[in-house]
Amino acid sequence: MEYTKHGNSVEGYITFNLYFHSFDYKEDSLLEQVKFTTVKELFNMMQPDYIEQLKHENDAEQVELHDITFSTKDDDTEVFITMYDNSGHYRVSTNLDVSRLDSEYKETLQGIKEILDKKM
């Protein structure tokens, strides 16, 4: 996959959870998703200075890292990996060539029929 061959060209999203306190002191939160296109951008977004800047720009009480999603594509196969604090979700999608499926299915059925004809 591209991110193992060229680590600098990986892209994805980093999601922060912004926490706010409402007037009745109940905790409210908002997810803020930021796209990165290089590993360097990702590492810069994970630095305490960036998180403090995000906190001040949004007038948030607290900012936490929610998840990081990496995506890459190699020909017709696309991979998404999302990492959370204690778990991960992985999804691989690919285009399958099913143009010959009907003919292969018919050939298989004809083969089964020939076997049955010979045995009966």
Side-chain angles (χ1 to χ4, degrees), residues 11 14 23 29 31 36 45 52 66-67 82 88 100 116:
E11 72 175 37
I14 184 168
F23 291 112
S29 67
L31 293 178
F36 59 88
M45 290 176 193
E52 272 304 307
H66 184 268
D67 65 72
T82 303
R100 293 179 11 128
L116 290 174

Side-chain angles (χ1 to χ4, degrees), residues 17-30:
N17 206 346
L18 308 174
Y19 292 96
F20 304 94
H21 288 285
S22 62
F23 291 112
D24 58 0
Y25 300 105
K26 290 182 180 176
E27 197 169 72
D28 295 321
S29 67
L30 172 71

Side-chain angles (χ1 to χ4, degrees), residues 40-76:
K40 184 177 181 180
E41 284 181 359
L42 171 62
F43 288 147
N44 287 339
M45 290 176 193
M46 295 174 68
Q47 298 305 313
D49 292 343
Y50 183 86
I51 294 173
E52 272 304 307
Q53 177 186 345
L54 196 59
K55 182 178 174 180
H56 290 295
E57 285 176 359
N58 292 281
D59 198 26
E61 292 289 323
Q62 184 178 346
V63 176
E64 293 179 354
L65 181 62
H66 184 268
D67 65 72
I68 301 173
T69 301
F70 298 92
S71 66
T72 187
K73 192 170 184 175
D74 188 7
D75 296 326
D76 63 348

